[in-house]
Amino acid sequence: MPIDAEDQTRQQDMRAPVTSAPLVRLEHVDKTFANGTEAIRGFDLSLFEREFLSLLGPSGCGKSTVLRLIAGLAAPTGGTIMWREGAKSNDRRIALVFQEPTLMPWATAFDNVYLPLRLEGLPKRRVASRVETALGLVGLDDVAGAYPRELSGGMKMRVSIARAVITEPDLLLLDEPFAALDEITRFRLNDDLLALWQDKRWTVLFVTHSVFESVYLSNRIVVMTERPGRTAAEIPIDAPYPRRDGFRNSAAYGERCRAVSAALQRAMTP
Ligand code: ADP
Ligand code: MG
């Protein structure tokens, strides 16, 4: 290659945008269950590190299925799921939070949060301060000794989040975690989750069927079609963080909600 051309190539390389590889990429993924139900078909998704990505779609479109596939709890029947550097999902720390807090009723908040570390064989005495820190992160310093029955719905969800983040996950998967909560509690948990995400810089994949919630929280929204779900639209939400009530009440928020709502409508029109 003549020197000139070589120089040119090098210059072009330097001008090229620095695009990091996605943490995980789903390409044309299908999932058909044993009973013949086709949950997703040709589903594409790239999830980048430190992103807060929402998966938005109607009930039954395959959102939970996508999370389960990423978590390695189920295998795709078609397509590929690629982790960066070729690692498999079971080499990753992945934490899942469900709509139901699924706490052990006979155990205190402390012991519920301790559970993942107990499963790793870590003695309670050695990790007590980690458990306390995790409870503190979700604003539950005072209720470590309380049992789930003594906690409100919002507090139980906080325990569930603390239990997920105590493992310091590479990827936090949340499946409609706030759908069963009243609106005020939900707003508060939205804010607290965002503050935590900004502080800890986790990668978050958040499933919701709420346009308003997805716009408030996300860097980017992936809108799914009805079942069999596939990606219908990808919408960046370029509003700066922190997003507080000021954003919730702003014209910019309203505009973005309308745009996402319209994309969802289009996705649901066959
Ligand atoms: P979403 O979370 O978007 O509401 P799901 O991923 O839970 O949707 O489910 C997508 C579709 O797959 C639904 O029709 C659901 O009934 C079906 N489905 C989910 N899990 C199973 C399963 N294990 N066996 C058969 N069908 C399933
Ligand atoms: Mg679901």
Side-chain angles (χ1 to χ4, degrees):
M1 188 190 283
I3 302 281
D4 273 5
E6 210 171 36
D7 270 1
Q8 229 171 26
T9 312
R10 200 173 301 130
Q11 275 182 11
Q12 274 168 3
D13 284 351
M14 286 171 70
R15 277 197 308 268
V18 184
T19 49
S20 62
L23 179 65
V24 59
R25 191 159 88 217
L26 282 72
E27 265 182 21
H28 310 306
V29 170
D30 308 322
K31 179 65 181 178
T32 304
F33 290 104
N35 67 356
T37 302
E38 206 181 1
I40 57 171
R41 187 201 298 165
F43 180 80
D44 295 311
L45 179 80
S46 287
L47 181 63
F48 293 88
E49 203 159 8
R50 297 183 171 184
E51 180 169 46
F52 198 121
L53 178 69
S54 283
L55 207 52
L56 175 72
S59 208
C61 75
K63 303 182 295 296
S64 298
T65 300
V66 170
L67 285 202
R68 291 171 52 80
L69 292 173
I70 292 174
L73 297 172
T77 47
T80 48
I81 299 180
M82 275 168 297
W83 289 85
R84 202 178 47 204
E85 295 149 18
K88 292 216 176 71
S89 62
N90 48 10
D91 300 331
R92 303 274 164 187
R93 277 185 188 275
I94 297 176
L96 259 159
V97 175
F98 304 99
Q99 183 176 333
E100 291 298 319
T102 58
L103 304 179
M104 303 180 291
W106 61 86
T108 61
F110 184 99
D111 283 337
N112 270 287
V113 174
Y114 167 54
L115 177 69
L117 302 184
R118 197 181 89 194
L119 296 175
E120 285 183 24
L122 296 167
K124 200 193 276 197
R125 246 178 322 118
R126 241 182 65 203
V127 293
S129 69
R130 261 177 85 184
V131 175
E132 278 155 17
T133 304
L135 283 165
L137 278 178
V138 297
L140 291 183
D141 318 69
D142 299 339
V143 299
Y147 289 86
R149 64 174 178 276
E150 302 172 289
L151 302 174
S152 67
M155 286 164 115
K156 279 189 270 208
M157 184 47 72
R158 287 174 186 276
V159 174
S160 175
I161 292 172
R163 183 184 52 192
V165 302
I166 196 163
T167 59
E168 293 172 8
D170 299 318
L171 174 57
L172 181 59
L173 305 171
L174 299 127
D175 195 352
E176 308 205 33
F178 309 141
L181 302 175
D182 67 79
E183 195 155 274
I184 297 298
T185 306
R186 185 175 183 159
F187 285 1
R188 211 168 278 151
L189 277 158
N190 281 169
D191 284 337
D192 291 354
L193 177 63
L194 272 190
L196 270 177
W197 167 74
Q198 274 197 276
D199 184 31
K200 301 289 176 188
R201 305 310 314 239
W202 298 311
T203 305
V204 175
L205 181 55
F206 189 94
V207 162
T208 181
H209 56 243
S210 163
V211 169
F212 301 106
E213 189 173 46
S214 67
V215 173
Y216 189 69
L217 295 173
S218 318
N219 288 138
R220 192 157 64 93
I221 299 173
V222 166
V223 179
M224 288 176 74
T225 65
E226 284 191 282
R227 192 175 68 81
R230 59 182 166 71
T231 309
E234 275 192 37
I235 304 167
I237 305 296
D238 52 1
Y241 295 92
R243 299 177 182 171
R244 295 255 163 208
D245 277 340
F247 179 56
R248 219 189 273 288
N249 298 322
S250 69
Y253 176 64
E255 272 163 33
R256 288 174 173 87
C257 287
R258 275 192 293 282
V260 171
S261 190
L264 187 60
Q265 292 289 337
R266 281 195 299 276
M268 290 173 65
T269 313

